[in-house]
Amino acid sequence: MIRQQFNYNRFDEDGLEIATLEMNPRYYMGEGDLTFGVGPGIGYVWAEADAAGVDEGMWALQLGADIEYRRGALYLGAGTRYQLTQDEELGNTGEKGVDNGLSTVKVGVNF
């Protein structure tokens, strides 16, 4: 089965602010309570480097994987993805792109 995931993430550290909006479909395999998903993604990234005083927007591609456990109302999951961004130069910082990784732990209620 394919489950569509939309994510909005924010990161702010050492004068670099990143916000991403992502669409990450996952193809899930497995039967029963435990499933494993893998899939690509596409997104848009807004990056702001305070030191350079610049704002850049860039397209991104992701590859990610998730594992989920669902039993009754209990939902547990973990996921990871790596994101490659366009090589937009962030002002005079010399930084090209803002490639990044993200891992999440999920706890929830099925309804």
Side-chain angles (χ1 to χ4, degrees):
M1 96 185 78
I2 296 177
R3 290 189 183 129
Q4 180 59 49
Q5 299 179 22
F6 293 94
N7 299 313
Y8 178 74
N9 303 299
R10 292 188 55 80
F11 172 85
D12 185 355
E13 187 174 310
D14 295 332
L16 178 63
E17 294 179 35
I18 301 172
T20 66
L21 182 60
E22 308 166 11
M23 181 174 67
N24 298 297
R26 296 286 189 265
Y27 175 73
Y28 279 88
M29 301 160 275
E31 294 183 23
D33 300 335
L34 189 64
T35 57
F36 173 76
V38 60
I42 188 167
Y44 195 78
V45 178
W46 295 270
E48 180 178 332
D50 290 342
V54 296
D55 295 325
E56 293 290 343
M58 59 197 84
W59 289 100
L61 295 174
Q62 292 93 230
L63 183 60
D66 292 276
I67 189 164
E68 294 184 350
Y69 178 78
R70 297 171 186 261
R71 183 162 187 116
L74 176 65
Y75 168 79
L76 300 172
T80 190
R81 68 108 176 101
Y82 191 76
Q83 182 176 69
L84 298 168
T85 61
Q86 283 180 301
D87 287 338
E88 299 285 341
E89 189 165 338
L90 298 177
N92 59 5
T93 64
E95 295 290 326
K96 290 220 177 243
V98 286
D99 296 355
N100 63 87
L102 173 73
S103 295
T104 57
V105 174
K106 308 168 197 178
V107 177
V109 177
N110 291 315
F111 54 92

